[in-house]
Amino acid sequence: MSGRLHAEQMLARAETETGLSDYGDPTLPQRFGLVVDHLDTLAMDEAGCRRAEDVCHGLLTSRLQFFEDRNRYPVAREVIQAPMFVTGEPRSGTTLMHALMSVDPDARALRFWEVMYPSPPPGLAGPDDPRRARADADWHEINTLMPKWLPSHPYNDMLGDGLPEDERTWAFDFRVLTPTAWWRVPMQTVVGGLPTDAVAQYRIHKAMLQQFQYRRPRRHWVLKGFHGFRLAEMFAAYPDARLLWLHRDPVQVAASRTMMMADILEGIVGPVDLKAAAAMHLELTRASIANTMTHPLVDDPRILHVRYTDFITDPVRTVRRYYRFCGRDLTSSAEAAMHEYLVHNKGDRHGKFRYSTTLLTDIGEDLGALHEEFRPFRERFGVEIETRD
């Protein structure tokens, strides 16, 4: 028996429970309605609908409380100065780069426990804030539900202290349905179809940084997300930002991201059609590479382009190069922490992640033709063909 969700009732419930009604954006109810319409197309059973309603309720109440914090406290006065971003294709080393920068004692990174439960400002709470334990429990549940995710993304063992992508700050904006917010809901990842507004999304992102910086020691922000399609809006929000862009062989990117997402979704919805997934992720990779080749801001002097293979060969050297590019010194304590992280956090600590470019040949693609298709990209950024298989 399938159930049905009702957007108006869920909005009213969140407002009644919190005693609040300011979502920080008058278009939010309409956008939330579109998400609910999508959920209703999935024909979930009653248990699935209950899980979806619980997720929606948590996101709605969190948003109401978050914007109330901005009314109660001078959070909006916080200045976000010269943030350091990392971007690149999925599976191109961005998470490791971000993790290394995050252990710098002078840096501040987003943490899952904060973005999952952002209210009240963490600077007003103590070290025993119960949100940490709550997020740890969430991540134990995620890792149990999706055990195959750990080999491809071992950083999930950091639990609530893990490092979310910048896109996770938009979960309660209902423009993206990231798996780390919707893992309890039996649905496929939503790729497109929801109204986006990059300017509004970076307003939310900056508001999150202000929330987590408020009443805390000042440190420089280190951040990671897929910003290549939103460069103009990102730099408009953070004119003094710097961006490290890692570049990898697109054929490997397409195959690796296919297998990683299949492993994630298998835990949420069951067996995945690998051929359909490979076709989708190859097209997403093509679109992203086309954007990289044509976006007018790709050569902006605030962007440092680095090859994935150079980063993997000497990760700390790449961090040092990026810090120098940003006009910062990599302190001896920061460098020591990064080397220690590499020693104690091997990439295969939860088993070796295995994938193959046969995922692409199985859908009729010719690897030689794909390498030729991506040759202009590889030549522009000095990216060599990887031979893993």
Side-chain angles (χ1 to χ4, degrees):
M1 180 177 179
S2 63
R4 183 169 177 81
L5 300 166
H6 301 278
E8 297 82 1
Q9 292 177 11
M10 285 190 280
L11 289 163
R13 177 189 168 201
E15 293 166 20
T16 298
E17 182 172 303
T18 61
L20 303 170
S21 60
D22 180 7
Y23 292 100
D25 178 354
T27 70
L28 187 282
Q30 179 182 10
R31 194 161 59 253
F32 176 66
L34 296 176
V35 170
V36 172
D37 287 344
H38 168 73
L39 296 174
D40 278 334
T41 68
L42 303 179
M44 294 182 289
D45 60 19
E46 290 187 8
C49 281
R50 281 195 300 271
R51 290 196 296 272
E53 185 166 3
D54 287 344
V55 169
C56 290
H57 183 69
L59 292 172
L60 289 171
T61 56
S62 179
R63 184 180 179 112
L64 287 166
Q65 292 160 345
F66 177 82
F67 279 99
E68 177 62 16
D69 287 342
R70 293 178 71 80
N71 294 328
R72 295 181 60 192
Y73 309 109
V75 173
R77 297 179 190 171
E78 290 292 317
V79 176
I80 308 302
Q81 186 173 4
M84 298 172 64
F85 288 88
V86 178
T87 198
E89 296 298 316
R91 315 302 299 156
S92 63
T94 56
T95 303
L96 177 58
M97 179 71 187
H98 186 211
L100 291 175
M101 294 196 301
S102 76
V103 300
D104 180 347
D106 296 322
R108 185 181 304 286
L110 292 169
R111 301 290 175 176
F112 265 113
W113 74 269
E114 297 172 340
V115 299
M116 294 169 89
Y117 305 108
S119 178
L124 301 179
D128 58 347
D129 191 316
R131 290 176 288 181
R132 293 176 180 269
R134 184 178 177 188
D136 282 350
D138 287 334
W139 272 98
H140 280 300
E141 183 179 344
I142 293 172
N143 289 337
T144 299
L145 186 68
M146 295 175 269
K148 290 184 177 181
W149 196 2
L150 277 167
S152 67
H153 205 275
Y155 316 91
N156 288 352
D157 62 12
M158 297 171 70
L159 305 176
D161 205 42
L163 301 164
E165 292 161 350
D166 292 317
E167 286 76 7
R168 184 58 177 79
T169 65
W170 300 325
F172 64 17
D173 203 35
F174 301 100
R175 299 182 193 274
V176 294
L177 304 186
T178 170
T180 60
W182 293 85
W183 85 91
R184 290 191 173 107
V185 183
M187 69 178 186
Q188 295 278 352
T189 297
V190 177
V191 180
L194 296 175
T196 59
D197 182 340
V199 172
Q201 287 170 264
Y202 281 107
R203 281 200 299 267
I204 290 278
H205 184 269
K206 178 176 279 189
M208 280 274 192
L209 301 190
Q210 291 172 322
Q211 179 91 342
F212 305 145
Q213 181 174 284
Y214 177 66
R215 296 283 295 272
R216 285 169 129 180
R218 187 59 55 92
R219 298 171 182 167
H220 66 268
W221 280 98
V222 293
L223 303 153
K224 175 237 175 174
F226 300 106
H227 299 286
F229 284 95
R230 304 180 295 261
L231 293 174
E233 294 84 359
M234 188 198 78
F235 282 126
Y238 304 105
D240 59 352
R242 295 295 182 270
L243 178 67
L244 174 78
W245 198 324
L246 288 164
H247 297 288
R248 187 181 185 188
D249 178 356
V251 172
Q252 297 295 329
V253 164
S256 183
R257 68 187 287 179
T258 297
M259 199 70 244
M260 181 189 70
M261 288 306 301
D263 287 346
I264 292 172
L265 289 174
E266 182 179 308
I268 301 175
V269 297
V272 172
D273 182 339
L274 279 178
K275 289 187 177 181
M280 179 182 74
H281 286 290
L282 177 58
E283 289 310 307
L284 290 173
T285 301
R286 281 173 163 146
S288 189
I289 295 300
N291 173 75
T292 301
M293 292 296 290
T294 59
H295 199 295
L297 286 178
V298 165
D299 294 319
D300 189 282
R302 292 168 289 187
I303 300 175
L304 176 65
H305 296 279
V306 174
R307 297 188 302 179
Y308 164 82
T309 49
D310 290 342
F311 168 60
I312 293 301
T313 299
D314 194 338
V316 177
R317 180 182 180 183
T318 300
V319 175
R320 189 184 305 113
R321 180 184 172 192
Y322 185 33
Y323 270 56
R324 190 179 303 120
F325 177 78
C326 296
R328 298 185 184 277
D329 293 324
L330 183 63
T331 65
S332 58
S333 59
E335 185 166 345
M338 293 173 192
H339 283 295
E340 183 177 2
Y341 180 91
L342 290 170
V343 169
H344 295 291
N345 294 276
K346 298 296 186 183
D348 59 356
R349 59 189 180 272
H350 297 290
K352 186 171 179 59
F353 172 58
R354 300 187 184 280
Y355 71 92
S356 172
T357 53
T358 57
L359 288 166
L360 304 177
T361 57
D362 286 347
I363 60 171
E365 296 288 344
D366 178 84
L367 294 187
L370 284 177
H371 289 313
E372 180 62 22
E373 175 184 341
F374 293 123
R375 180 174 56 81
F377 164 82
R378 290 188 291 100
E379 290 180 347
R380 179 171 176 179
F381 296 103
V383 174
E384 298 177 350
I385 294 173
E386 289 182 48
T387 53
R388 292 174 51 98
D389 299 325

